[in-house]
Structure formats: structure tokens, C-alpha cells
Amino acid sequence: MTKNRHWGLKIACILIFFLSLTFFGGSGINLAVLGVSPLLVLSVLTAFASYSRISVTVFASLLCGIVTDSVSAKGYCFNTIAFLIFGVLANLLAEHVFNRNLRATVTLCFLLTFTYYLAYWLCFSAFSLIFADSMRYLLQWCLPSAIYTAVLCIPFYFLFRKFKQIKELD
């Protein structure tokens, strides 16, 4: 008759987001491979949004964007707006368009991450770089980073799916 609150799962989610934003977000452990670094918070956010309610996704996306903007050298609320849009988009696409399976979540993460990098490029460097530098940035950094971010989404997909199964048992 009483509803379980699952405080342990909520604390685990908060800890995952906290670690992805702080410890693995550039100030602690560097996850770069061959000069390509992932946007780990977008991996976590995509997997989280696939299994969460829209209101929780909006709050988490907004908070992740604010924290990212607070440590960013440039951006002027770019990350807040982008993470909010991409978090809500991930939730809605996972619920209404894509299936909630591993391939769909990884594909969704790749599409959102590549779109994030394209938007960032358009806002901050597309008009200040020559064409060759723009293509180099997109093909040598954005595309591999989007692929790497999508691959890192896999463990978070299984983790949040397990959290959802635990919640549904009650």
C-alpha cells in the first residue's frame, strides 16, 4: 500500500551525474583516447532520459547545463540550453520514436552528441575559421568524439535500465 521511494537509486543517480560533471568532466580523470575526448555528461543524460519521467529529465538536464556552463570559459548559457533541449529530446524520442533498446539508445546518443558539436561549432567557430580548419574540426574531432560518447553510453544504458527494473518491482 505504501510506495517505496528508492532513496538509494536516487543517490546513485545523483552520484553518477556528479562524477560525470566533476571528476570525469575534465578536472579529474581524463578519458581522452588519441586526442578524442567524450562528452560524458551527454552519455549519462541520454541513458537517464530514456528511462526517466520528463519532469525529472528536465531538472537533470537543466542542472547539468548550469554546472557545465559555470566552469566553461565560453558559452554564455549555451550548455544549459543545449542540455535542456537534448535531454527533453532524448526523453521524447526514446518514448515515442525509438525503442528502448541498446542500439536505439547508442544511436540516439550519437545523434544528440554530433548535433551538440555542430551547434557548438556554428555558434563559436564556424565563421571565424577557414573552410579547411572547419572541416578538420568536424571530421577529426567532432565525429570521433560523438562516436566515443555514444560508445560510453552503453554501461549507463544497462545501469539505468536496471534502476528502472528495480523501481518497477514495487
Side-chain angles (χ1 to χ4, degrees), residues 141-161:
W141 198 81
C142 292
L143 186 62
S145 292
I147 293 169
Y148 188 21
T149 302
V151 168
L152 285 180
C153 183
I154 295 170
F156 299 115
Y157 166 81
F158 287 115
L159 187 67
F160 289 121
R161 185 178 75 173

Side-chain angles (χ1 to χ4, degrees), residues 10-146:
K10 291 177 184 178
I11 291 171
C13 287
I14 291 169
L15 186 64
I16 290 168
F17 276 107
F18 177 76
L19 290 175
S20 71
L21 286 166
T22 58
F23 199 57
F24 293 104
S27 64
I29 294 177
N30 188 3
L31 296 175
V33 174
L34 299 173
V36 176
S37 59
L39 190 57
L40 189 63
V41 68
L42 203 49
S43 291
V44 174
L45 192 59
T46 303
F48 179 78
S50 296
Y51 288 104
S52 297
R53 295 187 325 262
I54 188 77
S55 58
V56 177
T57 301
V58 166
F59 178 73
S61 301
L62 201 58
L63 195 59
C64 287
I66 290 170
V67 170
T68 304
D69 277 331
S70 70
V71 297
S72 178
K74 59 181 178 180
Y76 313 109
C77 297
F78 174 81
N79 291 311
T80 303
I81 294 167
F83 286 170
L84 179 62
I85 290 170
F86 292 142
V88 170
L89 199 59
N91 184 286
L92 293 175
L93 287 173
E95 187 172 329
H96 298 293
V97 177
F98 288 98
N99 295 326
R100 286 192 175 121
N101 61 34
L102 180 61
R103 282 187 299 185
T105 304
V106 170
T107 303
L108 182 61
C109 185
F110 171 77
L111 292 173
L112 292 176
T113 306
F114 193 71
T115 306
Y116 170 85
Y117 285 127
L118 280 177
Y120 190 87
W121 171 74
L122 277 174
C123 289
F124 297 109
S125 62
F127 303 108
S128 63
L129 297 175
I130 61 173
F131 182 75
D133 289 341
S134 288
M135 287 287 97
R136 187 175 305 113
Y137 171 77
L138 289 173
L139 295 176
Q140 290 182 352
W141 198 81
C142 292
L143 186 62
S145 292

